[in-house]
Amino acid sequence: MALFQVDFFSEVLGQSSQVTVILPQKDQGIGMEGSEKKDRYPVLWLLHGSSDDHTTWLRRTSIERYVSELGLAVVMPNAHQSFYNNLAHGRRYYDYFTDELPRVMREFFPLSDKREENFVCGLSMGGYGSLRIGLGEPEKYGAIGCFSAGNLVYMDLKESKVDENPMTQMIFGANGFSAGIGTEADLYVLAERNVRENRPMPRIYQCCGTEDFLLELSRKTADYFEQSPYDFEYHEGPGIHEWAFWDEWIQKFLQWLLPDQADRLA
């Protein structure tokens, strides 16, 4: 894979922004197989959690090795602690992720703009973000992966050990997470709108560790989607809110996402 660390000025955010990109190569060197060159590559938009940045997936998993034979580009943007929303008091991160970032990345790199070749996946804050983006822009994404997260606006703050604080108030409004209920930050509002308006419905893959502090929230979100018209799959496995779990499950997600190439991931 070819690795790029990209710094560019975002007009939407009004500041410099950082993105890590890995692109397929035919020749990989010792110990890795490559993939055939394409004019435009399918893209996995891979989102980080609230304590991380655009480099963390690359540093704490073997994502580059996992996709080396798949002909799949991976774009990992820096979201800061935005929860991938337009902030109630601040910058328009949702507009950045769903409009400006894909447009700029396609200007820089040979990335596909086809819905069936664009996928969004993330962990924790990024798991919520992947659903927020994929359900919010269903014409742009064919599949969604959500790890160790759910519809965060319904988070039980006592159970989750997350207190109301200025950060969540800045993002969602005066009441923190619960201020998002019934708005476009509420994943159920987006999901139901897509059904009601006969919009495309991305496939959804969700997983969570059985010892994860967000397990109950994940299960409640899964219960909702299992009763919906969405093509939805949910899994649990041993693990807490940690990278050992996410490194294992990104491989399972890729097998689900690209079943015709599952043998390359075995």
Side-chain angles (χ1 to χ4, degrees), residues 128-143:
Y128 164 81
S130 67
L131 286 165
R132 172 72 179 94
I133 290 170
L135 294 172
E137 307 290 330
E139 296 87 0
K140 298 178 181 179
Y141 303 94

Side-chain angles (χ1 to χ4, degrees), residues 25-29 31-35 65 67-70 264:
Q25 279 189 291
K26 183 175 181 180
D27 297 317
Q28 293 286 326
M32 285 177 61
E33 297 294 328
S35 60
R65 182 163 56 88
V67 301
S68 65
E69 297 183 51
L70 303 181
R264 297 176 180 268

